[in-house]
Amino acid sequence: MPEEIQLKMLHSVAGLQHAELMRPGYAIEYDVIEPWQLTATMETKIVKNLFTAGQMNGTSGYEEAAGQGIMRALMPPCVPRTSLASRYAAPTPTLG
């Protein structure tokens, strides 16, 4: 919220009419994936084979975000590895 508004709010409190702000407060806003955009396995409904977990799912605490990551990592694969491997395979074998 703008500094002027923060100062107005501060001055509206009895006894703080002449208070000064040393530094205005700020907020960080994050984009999240809404729960209705995910399947029960945390796969996005719009982009198939894209799985999410943690704070991008709207989880606010570190513990909850970590828990979602662990749950997602422990879930059995929902997509056969062969379908993903063939999608991202190099056109010809390479040995680096």
Side-chain angles (χ1 to χ4, degrees):
M1 130 177 8
E3 185 174 351
E4 305 80 44
I5 302 295
Q6 292 182 43
L7 200 53
K8 262 187 175 178
M9 288 174 56
L10 183 64
H11 290 163
S12 72
V13 177
L16 299 178
Q17 292 85 352
H18 303 289
E20 296 180 19
L21 283 177
M22 292 179 66
R23 188 178 313 131
Y26 67 94
I28 299 173
E29 295 180 21
Y30 297 99
D31 290 329
V32 297
I33 296 175
E34 300 291 341
W36 54 267
Q37 295 175 316
L38 299 171
T39 66
T41 60
M42 292 188 257
E43 178 182 18
T44 62
K45 291 180 180 178
I46 296 172
V47 180
K48 293 297 176 201
N49 302 323
L50 176 61
F51 297 87
T52 64
Q55 291 182 326
M56 72 181 302
N57 285 353
T59 302
S60 60
Y62 293 113
E63 296 85 1
E64 294 92 347
Q68 274 192 14
I70 291 169
M71 283 178 46
R72 183 57 219 138
L74 296 176
M75 282 184 189
C78 299
V79 178
R81 290 185 185 273
T82 53
S83 69
L84 288 176
S86 63
R87 182 179 304 161
Y88 299 109
T92 56
T94 58
L95 295 176

